[in-house]
Amino acid sequence: MAFEDILVERKGAVGVVTLNRPKALNALCTPLIDELGQALAELEADEAIRCIVLTGSEKAFAAGADIKEMKEKSYADVLDEDFITGDWEVVAHCRKPTIAAVAGFALGGGCEVAMMCDMILAAETARFGQPEIKLGTIPGAGGTQRLTRSVGKSLAMYLCLSGDMIDAETALRAGLVAKVLPAEGFLDEVMKVAETIASYSLPVLRTCKEAVNRAYETTLAEGVLFERRTFHGTFALEDRKEGMEAFAEKRKPNFKHR
């Protein structure tokens, strides 16, 4: 399928989706979000793809939602269409591992979409923020929720109430990003991480992702029980047997993804 606001590539077992509205710093308009949902659905259905990278340009991952598109909406409009809920959250609902590769600005909706991914890898040029307060509104795609769970109440309050930005190193120390990489060759380094992830068993990747996500949604006791039973479940997989046999035989495993 041909897209106008995004680019989609398949690089081995890794699918790469690039936000592509350079004149608008990849502002997240409805057509772009619709295309993103279609692309992710295609990559989710593609059995050859085992990891998905979502990225933007060197200047901006995404500088926020498209304000020109939103400014005329009324309360009745956004309530009636449940604005943001159904379409934006498709990123969070991916079952395959997702990596947000962030260079430049990730502000407002851009920061929120990055947080919907399983991890954020940031170029040293990355800047994160939730500046909605400057527009007379608040974050609406998880900015007050996922951000608080990632960085804690104090920093989340600071970002949401001041509209200020933090750099990549601050985001790393706060736990928002997993790793900061040099700007030069950034995507090549991201691809190394994605290719490593994609080399593992897909059912185990999905299972592990579900277990980590469960930690956000339940108590420690329930989470540990979920993890234990899910761990037990991996013993039904051919790939679990192959992985352990390969380790014992000191060879590389040949996962069949079943």
Side-chain angles (χ1 to χ4, degrees):
M1 181 179 293
F3 297 111
E4 293 185 7
D5 293 322
I6 64 172
L7 304 173
V8 181
E9 300 174 89
R10 287 167 170 80
K11 297 183 177 182
V14 180
V16 181
V17 180
T18 304
L19 307 181
N20 188 39
R21 294 187 72 206
K23 293 182 180 179
L25 294 180
N26 295 331
L28 302 171
C29 61
T30 296
L32 184 151
I33 292 295
D34 289 344
E35 289 184 358
L36 178 59
Q38 293 172 44
L40 291 177
E42 289 179 12
L43 294 172
E44 281 277 283
D46 188 340
E47 294 182 359
I49 298 299
R50 294 188 289 278
C51 185
I52 299 169
V53 173
L54 178 60
T55 191
S57 67
E58 292 181 3
K59 186 177 292 186
F61 174 78
D66 193 324
I67 306 305
K68 293 179 180 179
E69 182 181 78
M70 288 195 297
K71 67 184 182 67
E72 299 301 330
K73 290 182 181 289
S74 68
Y75 173 73
D77 293 333
V78 295
L79 184 64
D80 182 61
E81 63 190 73
D82 202 9
F83 183 55
I84 288 179
T85 302
D87 41 9
W88 288 50
E89 288 288 335
V90 3
V91 179
H93 295 157
C94 286
R95 295 185 64 210
K96 294 178 179 178
T98 54
I99 299 173
V102 177
F105 297 112
L107 305 178
C111 186
E112 290 169 310
V113 167
M115 290 189 290
M116 292 178 194
C117 294
D118 296 322
M119 69 186 78
I120 301 174
L121 300 181
E124 55 195 0
T125 58
R127 299 292 183 271
F128 300 88
Q130 297 292 159
E132 289 88 348
I133 199 78
K134 297 180 180 181
L135 304 175
T137 187
I138 70 169
T144 65
Q145 303 302 304
R146 291 188 177 95
L147 185 62
T148 305
R149 284 165 169 78
S150 293
V151 306
K153 177 183 175 182
S154 185
L155 183 54
M157 281 287 193
Y158 173 76
L159 291 171
C160 291
L161 297 182
S162 73
D164 202 359
M165 294 184 290
I166 56 173
D167 61 20
E169 287 295 337
T170 303
L172 176 65
R173 292 193 299 270
L176 180 59
V177 307
K179 197 171 186 179
V180 176
L181 300 166
E184 186 175 350
F186 172 59
L187 280 180
D188 291 336
E189 293 302 312
V190 171
M191 286 300 298
K192 290 179 183 178
V193 176
E195 287 163 359
T196 296
I197 293 171
S199 71
Y200 301 134
S201 165
L202 181 56
V204 177
L205 288 170
R206 284 174 168 159
T207 298
C208 190
K209 173 173 175 170
E210 288 178 1
V212 174
N213 281 334
R214 184 59 64 99
Y216 280 99
E217 306 295 340
T218 190
T219 64
L220 177 59
E222 288 299 318
V224 169
L225 179 60
F226 179 86
E227 176 192 75
R228 192 70 36 76
R229 294 294 177 257
T230 305
F231 163 70
H232 292 162
T234 65
F235 280 71
L237 294 172
E238 292 180 26
D239 285 342
R240 191 279 314 166
K241 183 178 181 181
E242 165 63 12
M244 292 187 178
E245 288 183 349
F247 178 83
E249 296 167 8
K250 298 182 179 179
R251 61 174 175 83
K252 186 177 180 179
N254 180 26
F255 293 126
K256 302 294 186 181
H257 309 291
R258 58 179 182 259

